[in-house]
Every structure is written in C-alpha cells, then in structure tokens.
Amino acid sequence: MKLKVNMEKTEARRAVGSSFLGFTFTTIKSKNGLGYCKPKQKKIEKFEQRIREITKRNRGVSAERMISELNSYLRGWINYYARGYFKKWLEGKAQWIRRRVRQYLWKLWKKKDARKKHLRELGVPEWWICKYRKGLSCNRYWRMSNALRSAITNDILQEKLGLLNIEEYYRVKHNERMEMDRTYNSQQKFVFI
C-alpha cells in the first residue's frame, strides 16, 4: 500500500498512559486493574481556552448569544468525551464557567440602575439588592461574580438564562455511552482459532 508512517504520532507501548483520539488511558489501582479513559491534558487546556474566548468580558455580544455559543460548545465537547471519567474535574469547571457567565453579565449591564433592573427581572430578592446597594456600582467584575452567586443562583442561570447544566448533561451522556458499550460487548461473539 506504500503508506507513510508519521513517526511523531506512531508508537508501540502499553495502553496505560497512552493517548488516542484525544483520550488518555489509565487504570484504577485495584485487584482487577480496570481501565478507563479521560480527556487528554492538551484537550482540557484547549477546552479552558475556548471557554475563556466565549465568555470574554469585552466581546460585545448579547448575553443570549454568548450563552447560546457556550451551550453549543459544551454540548459538543461533552458528547465527544462522555465515555471518559472526569466527573470531579467537570464539577469544578462548571462552577468556574458559571462564575465567568456572572462576570460577563455584570460587565454587560454596566450602570448601577441597569444592574438593579436586570437583577429584579431575574427574580433576585429586594433584600439582596438593598444589601449590596454600594456594590452595584463596583467594576471589579471577577470579585462581584463571586458575590453574585447568592443572587444569580445556578437555577436562575439554567432556567431563566438557559445555561446548560453540564454536570447533569455529562451524567446522562456518560450513562448512555456506558450502556451502549455494554450492549455492544454482550453482542460480540469471539471465535478463537
């Protein structure tokens, strides 16, 4: 066939620690040494960089468009890597993503009166707005995004703004992939000669 072998990508070694199609393979330290896969570190860094680009404060797009792009990217990434085990990592990243969205909203609303108006539209209690009345003019976006956790809760982000609940989405897709693998493996008939 006269195919050329790419010496940089080709390797012959044990599966543990090797990478293939964006996954890194590893084992659980147990008697049976079961293996699992997770996203490659390079792909994780690329994921984080893309989230930073989408949620960049000075992009100048509406919150709806930013959330739509973010949801689309998150769905695609999770659909591809759903077979891997990265639940704990994803929980931490989900908090980080929600904080970046809150930061984006705070920058987008700009003025104190606009911030009050938008917070009321989202159903934030009046006592919260009164408690943080001095902070409503604050332009320390990352710091305010942390304070906004009690006002713009995860439920508000998901129900009113439409942000994807990535932990739940991963759980559903991961279970689907595992069930699909179990079904496929039970249907295979191996013949040894």
Side-chain angles (χ1 to χ4, degrees):
M1 291 173 102
K2 297 183 181 180
L3 297 174
K4 290 186 179 181
V5 176
N6 186 337
M7 296 309 289
E8 293 174 10
K9 294 182 179 179
T10 304
E11 59 186 347
R13 61 187 224 160
R14 296 182 60 191
V16 176
S18 65
S19 297
F20 183 67
L21 296 175
F23 288 95
T24 299
F25 301 96
T26 188
T27 61
I28 300 170
K29 293 184 180 180
S30 65
K31 292 178 185 176
N32 56 11
L34 293 175
Y36 67 97
C37 60
K38 60 183 182 179
K40 192 175 177 181
Q41 185 60 37
K42 198 165 146 184
K43 299 298 181 182
I44 287 173
E45 291 167 7
K46 190 175 176 183
F47 169 80
E48 292 170 355
Q49 184 58 37
R50 183 70 180 125
I51 297 297
R52 283 187 185 98
E53 290 170 10
I54 293 171
T55 59
K56 191 175 177 183
R57 282 193 322 243
N58 59 357
R59 272 188 73 202
V61 298
S62 68
E64 292 82 17
R65 181 171 169 198
M66 183 270 299
I67 288 173
S68 173
E69 288 177 22
L70 185 61
N71 285 345
S72 177
Y73 181 72
L74 291 171
R75 276 191 193 99
W77 199 85
I78 290 172
N79 280 335
Y80 186 79
Y81 290 105
R83 185 166 274 114
Y85 290 92
F86 52 95
K87 182 181 175 186
K88 292 273 187 212
W89 174 83
L90 192 63
E91 288 171 358
K93 283 301 156 197
Q95 292 174 5
W96 175 71
I97 290 168
R98 288 188 291 262
R99 188 169 178 186
R100 288 196 62 89
V101 169
R102 289 181 188 107
Q103 171 186 276
Y104 188 91
L105 294 172
W106 199 248
K107 169 78 176 184
L108 187 66
W109 295 338
K110 294 186 183 189
K111 303 280 184 189
K112 182 178 182 178
D113 292 334
R115 289 172 177 165
K116 281 183 187 178
K117 179 185 150 232
H118 288 290
L119 288 171
R120 285 185 182 117
E121 285 175 2
L122 290 175
V124 174
E126 198 63 37
W127 65 265
W128 192 95
I129 295 170
C130 291
K131 180 180 177 186
Y132 287 98
R133 66 182 174 276
K134 290 181 183 176
L136 290 174
S137 59
C138 177
N139 287 335
R140 293 183 175 180
Y141 303 108
W142 190 246
R143 180 179 284 180
M144 276 308 293
S145 67
N146 193 33
L148 284 171
R149 277 188 316 174
S150 60
I152 305 173
T153 62
N154 298 347
D155 292 335
I156 290 174
L157 285 174
Q158 291 159 12
E159 293 167 10
K160 295 194 177 179
L161 296 172
L163 184 65
L164 180 69
N165 182 351
I166 59 176
E167 295 114 321
E168 180 63 24
Y169 191 74
Y170 166 74
R171 188 186 64 73
V172 169
K173 291 298 175 183
H174 180 73
N175 289 339
E176 284 177 10
R177 296 296 190 286
M178 294 299 104
E179 185 58 38
M180 193 168 61
D181 288 350
R182 279 190 288 275
T183 305
Y184 178 76
N185 288 336
S186 67
Q187 292 173 354
Q188 295 299 313
K189 295 180 182 176
F190 297 101
V191 177
F192 296 102
I193 300 175

